[in-house]
Amino acid sequence: MVLLACGTAMAQLPIYNVGRAPTEAELHPSDGVVGSDGKELPPGRGTAKEGETIYAAKCAACHGKNGEGIYPWPRLVGGIGTLNTPIPVQTVGSYSPYATTIWDYIQRAMPPFPLEKNLTPDNIYALTALLLYWNGIIKEIDVMDKNSLPEVQMPNRHGFYPDPPQSTPNKDGTWQPYWNQAKPAAK
Amino acid sequence: MNSKMSDRRGFLKGTAAMAGLAVGAIPFANGNALASVTPGEPNTSMGVTKLGVTPDEPNIQDLLYGGRSRYETTVRIPSVGWNGATGLRNLTPLQDSIGVITPSSYHYLVQHDMHITNIDPRQHTLMIYGMVDRPLVFTMEELKRLPSVSRIHFLECTGNSGLMHYKSMLHDQKLGRADLTVIQAMHGRVSTSEWTGVPLSLLLKGAGVQKQASWLVAEGADLCRHAKSFPLAKAMDDVIVAYGQNGEALRREQGYPLRLVVPGWQGVNNVKYVKRIKLVDKPYYLGRETSSYTNLKPNGKASWYESQVGPKSLITYPSDAHHLPERGLYEISGLAWSGRGAISRVEVSTDGGRTWKDAQLQQPVFRKAFTRFRLGWNWSGAETVIMSRCTNEYGDIQPTMLELAKLWGDQVTPHYTGEEIEHWWETAAIMEFLNNPILPWRVKPDGSVQDALYNTLYNTNGPSKNSYYSGGKI
């Protein structure tokens, strides 16, 4: 953050001299994006038990009493072991590779408009813990926080490819899914 | 009827009503500027007089923003199934498309909640932060001072033409929706606009991207706060931070006042209402890049971060929204696009794939944009199947459904065949995302036109015996 103190010249787009340095608060948004290593997770904690009342009040109407889903709202529980069967059931339990994704998604988008988004970090930790518990991934008493959540091993952690995802284009400029491979055999 | 069914019907109605509401609520420029004037009444309050004498004549204020002829009724329609029920998703009327530009009012829309946000551009800022030497915040005014580009590019929703939409379409038709055609309900998640804005690379270079940065995460300011990470290499290549669309500001539902345009890449990357871009050193594995927008294969493994849209074309006229009144001369017309570059060739078959003719391409051809193709056709009045197939400048050819299925590692999605419709929604998150197969239309002797692909896929168990499934090679 030393750079920020370097005056206006440093805090603007060179040449065009527009833009300003963000404030400390802007640099660490309370609703900021959370990646798989969890380093952006805020302080706070929660357990599945604590999540139950919040879930019943704010989530059950759409996702079902036990996370089983009510059409057209998605189910959040079950499906582990089904991904290679004729009816794969994709839920945040059976399909998500990282537990941090669940935290980020609830924080970001749930509950949806027109309901008010007023979950505290503690609430979100508790709800994430509840969904992980209902999916049989953690125990009811396990505390989810900034340190424990990124450590949770999701059953489908290695279910995606390529892993890691492609970061640079192939030599010929293509990106996944490599359309040149779809080229029909010569006629 | 069981309770689930009636729930769905209720929900569909709700969706249609919500969608209608959202559109109706968009304030027109004239409505805002001259709020005191009752539409249709002669307006003298501002010294402006009525133009004509018949009741049809518009008031001058109606002409200030411009409306279309009352005889033109084409509109977007809400999407189908759950896809239309949990968010605002409106589909482009490709059947009425003309040329290569999609009017902004026809541009498809995928919003992951039931809300379209209204952002005051004076309040809106874009922050570039994370692994940069100089984190920066820009106002809209500042962004507009910077060197800009205007480029014509298509956007296509990742799930466009996905088989699951066909199931939903049949389902919704059963529930009484009468506005659905295959061309719009299956394929209407693609549009082309001229986008104007600042190259993202200019902002990133200015912010001083640090060596270890290799990805970025873009976040929107809408209520569902769409977020997506993608590689820095793409951002430095051709991504636009856009404020303009087709000669005016972005439409509200297209991300007003600011959005990303990620040329040639699946729609989910093109974050609307963009307010924060964070430079990071790895993908962020967010909901929209893991839970959804991934492609589960029958073996239980899923591909993710698929990005570049394959070469794709379809005949927009005639299509199943049209009826040919008599035999005789017609101009077959359609659209082709490719995420990897310019379309270099479109061939059309009017005999079910036996023979192919080169169609004329509308010039100039833009890279990663709709290319209009046209071919004269003398219809004999007999039943036949028409289809198009495109090639891009690198020689990538639009595949047949069979070739696509191989690429998917799929027997054309066994999970879609023979399943109870009551269960489909449980698995509806499975979309087949590489949806650029050759798309045939069957012209019947009575002049009606039907889809000649999806119905054959859906109604069979396992690979279809239908020849069009293998691209019409009889």
Side-chain angles (χ1 to χ4, degrees):
Chain A
M1 297 304 105
V2 183
L3 285 175
L4 294 183
C6 292
T8 11
M10 280 307 283
Q12 290 201 310
L13 195 69
I15 305 171
Y16 306 102
N17 297 331
V18 297
R20 63 166 171 84
T23 62
E24 261 317 291
E26 284 173 319
L27 278 175
H28 304 284
S30 61
D31 60 353
V33 68
V34 173
S36 54
D37 57 15
K39 67 174 189 279
E40 295 98 340
L41 281 169
R45 57 169 298 290
T47 62
K49 193 100 205 115
E50 292 155 4
E52 273 172 18
T53 32
I54 314 166
Y55 182 90
K58 297 194 169 165
C59 322
C62 294
H63 293 293
K65 239 177 90 188
N66 304 301
E68 72 279 15
I70 303 173
Y71 181 90
W73 299 295
R75 65 187 283 170
L76 303 176
V77 173
I80 295 176
T82 66
L83 296 182
N84 61 353
T85 68
I87 305 186
V89 176
Q90 291 165 287
T91 69
V92 289
S94 66
Y95 197 53
S96 286
Y98 294 101
T100 49
T101 311
I102 309 174
W103 201 100
D104 180 86
Y105 190 80
I106 296 174
Q107 182 258 145
R108 177 168 300 291
M110 290 293 128
F113 178 85
L115 302 169
E116 206 186 333
K117 287 189 178 56
N118 56 2
L119 300 173
T120 64
D122 282 352
N123 292 163
I124 302 171
Y125 281 116
L127 288 165
T128 308
L130 180 67
L131 295 181
L132 292 170
Y133 167 63
W134 274 348
N135 277 290
I137 297 165
I138 64 167
K139 293 202 276 302
E140 192 169 18
I141 49 157
D142 287 346
V143 175
M144 288 296 111
D145 61 20
K146 189 177 167 52
N147 298 318
S148 58
L149 188 66
E151 295 297 315
V152 173
Q153 287 303 310
M154 299 300 284
N156 199 39
R157 166 64 190 89
H158 298 291
F160 295 87
Y161 66 91
D163 197 10
Q166 186 181 11
S167 291
T168 50
N170 300 317
K171 275 204 200 80
D172 62 0
T174 51
W175 292 87
Q176 283 166 246
Y178 315 134
W179 282 103
N180 38 2
Q181 286 179 17
K183 206 183 282 183
K187 294 188 188 76
Chain B
M1 172 174 301
N2 66 29
S3 67
K4 239 189 213 165
M5 290 286 260
S6 53
D7 272 5
R8 289 175 197 185
R9 173 174 294 178
F11 205 88
L12 278 174
K13 277 194 197 137
T15 310
M18 291 279 283
L21 231 170
V23 171
I26 296 171
F28 287 96
N30 55 358
N32 270 353
L34 300 167
S36 62
V37 176
T38 319
E41 290 294 308
N43 169 21
T44 50
S45 64
M46 294 179 69
V48 187
T49 48
K50 212 168 169 238
L51 258 189
V53 286
T54 68
D56 267 8
E57 287 298 332
N59 288 343
I60 279 179
Q61 68 266 27
D62 291 333
L63 290 172
L64 294 181
Y65 186 70
R68 59 181 174 176
S69 159
R70 64 201 298 212
Y71 302 106
E72 290 297 319
T73 54
T74 301
V75 288
R76 296 185 288 207
I77 56 169
S79 190
V80 289
W82 69 264
N83 190 259
T86 60
L88 295 168
R89 296 172 167 98
N90 288 352
L91 310 174
T92 295
L94 291 177
Q95 65 273 22
D96 293 322
S97 63
I98 298 171
V100 298
I101 298 293
T102 310
S104 304
S105 48
Y106 286 169
H107 197 289
Y108 84 91
L109 156 67
V110 173
Q111 180 68 29
H112 274 279
D113 62 6
M114 285 294 188
H115 184 260
I116 298 293
T117 196
N118 234 337
I119 295 176
D120 179 347
R122 290 164 305 185
Q123 307 297 324
H124 190 76
T125 57
L126 172 67
M127 175 166 70
I128 312 260
Y129 73 129
M131 295 173 172
V132 291
D133 292 337
R134 277 177 298 279
L136 289 170
V137 177
F138 301 99
T139 63
M140 288 300 301
E141 209 172 51
E142 288 171 323
L143 290 172
K144 288 183 180 174
R145 281 172 55 186
L146 297 174
S148 59
V149 293
S150 287
R151 300 209 181 109
I152 294 176
H153 288 304
F154 75 84
L155 295 193
E156 183 171 18
C157 172
T158 308
N160 196 27
S161 314
L163 294 183
M164 46 155 284
H165 297 307
Y166 188 69
K167 282 188 163 185
S168 305
M169 195 186 94
L170 297 182
H171 194 251
D172 287 7
Q173 277 171 335
K174 240 197 261 169
L175 297 184
R177 261 188 86 169
D179 59 343
L180 300 173
T181 53
V182 167
I183 187 165
Q184 191 168 8
M186 290 299 297
H187 308 307
R189 296 161 199 81
V190 60
S191 309
T192 285
S193 291
E194 183 198 69
W195 304 101
T196 297
V198 184
L200 179 54
S201 59
L202 186 147
L203 302 179
L204 294 180
K205 280 177 201 153
V209 176
Q210 293 170 351
K211 257 214 200 81
Q212 71 272 29
S214 54
W215 284 66
L216 56 78
V217 196
E219 283 186 273
D222 45 345
L223 280 186
C224 65
R225 303 194 32 254
H226 180 56
K228 179 73 179 62
S229 65
F230 60 84
L232 175 62
K234 176 63 177 174
M236 295 306 281
D237 180 15
D238 58 357
V239 173
I240 306 169
V241 182
Y243 45 77
Q245 180 184 10
N246 296 332
E248 60 180 349
L250 294 174
R251 287 292 165 97
R252 191 174 77 156
E253 69 272 31
Q254 286 305 325
Y256 182 88
L258 199 65
R259 76 169 305 163
L260 292 187
V261 173
V262 184
W265 280 31
Q266 296 182 350
V268 65
N269 296 288
N270 296 254
V271 175
K272 298 188 289 188
Y273 317 100
V274 63
K275 70 166 177 186
R276 289 198 289 247
I277 295 177
K278 182 169 188 174
L279 278 293
V280 294
D281 60 1
K282 56 175 172 304
Y284 253 43
Y285 307 108
L286 302 174
R288 302 276 174 243
E289 38 209 78
T290 56
S291 270
S292 49
Y293 298 90
T294 50
N295 202 353
L296 182 63
K297 311 292 158 90
N299 68 3
K301 299 286 179 197
S303 57
W304 60 6
Y305 294 96
E306 287 176 342
S307 51
Q308 208 165 45
V309 173
K312 183 166 176 179
S313 73
L314 91 161
I315 293 172
T316 57
Y317 178 86
S319 69
D320 73 325
H322 303 117
H323 183 265
L324 302 183
E326 58 188 0
R327 64 202 169 101
L329 279 177
Y330 292 89
E331 182 182 71
I332 290 178
S333 169
L335 293 166
W337 61 98
S338 159
R340 198 182 163 199
I343 291 295
S344 58
R345 182 181 195 193
V346 180
E347 300 155 278
V348 169
S349 175
T350 56
D351 57 8
R354 252 185 293 268
T355 61
W356 296 83
K357 280 196 196 106
D358 276 306
Q360 233 171 35
L361 305 187
Q362 177 177 314
Q363 300 295 327
V365 171
F366 299 101
R367 303 183 83 241
K368 308 177 187 181
F370 277 171
T371 297
R372 173 68 58 182
F373 63 87
R374 302 180 169 97
L375 182 75
W377 176 45
N378 195 351
W379 180 45
S380 70
E383 177 164 326
T384 189
V385 170
I386 61 174
M387 56 185 127
S388 63
R389 147 177 105 191
C390 69
T391 307
N392 69 15
E393 59 184 308
Y394 301 101
D396 302 332
I397 302 175
Q398 182 176 9
T400 64
M401 188 54 112
L402 191 64
E403 287 156 345
L404 260 190
K406 278 193 201 133
L407 193 75
W408 292 338
D410 234 6
Q411 291 276 309
V412 181
T413 58
H415 19 262
Y416 288 123
T417 51
E419 297 300 343
E420 276 291 307
I421 200 103
E422 286 303 310
H423 288 302
W424 77 263
W425 62 268
E426 290 196 36
T427 61
I430 305 166
M431 300 201 215
E432 298 295 4
F433 283 155
L434 315 179
N435 297 306
N436 62 334
I438 290 173
L439 299 165
W441 300 116
R442 184 186 305 281
V443 182
K444 308 279 278 185
D446 66 1
S448 64
V449 183
Q450 294 171 354
D451 148 60
L453 178 71
Y454 295 95
N455 55 6
T456 64
L457 290 179
Y458 182 63
N459 292 332
T460 56
N461 270 304
S464 166
K465 301 278 184 296
N466 183 293
S467 61
Y468 306 114
Y469 157 70
S470 56
K473 280 172 262 166
I474 292 173

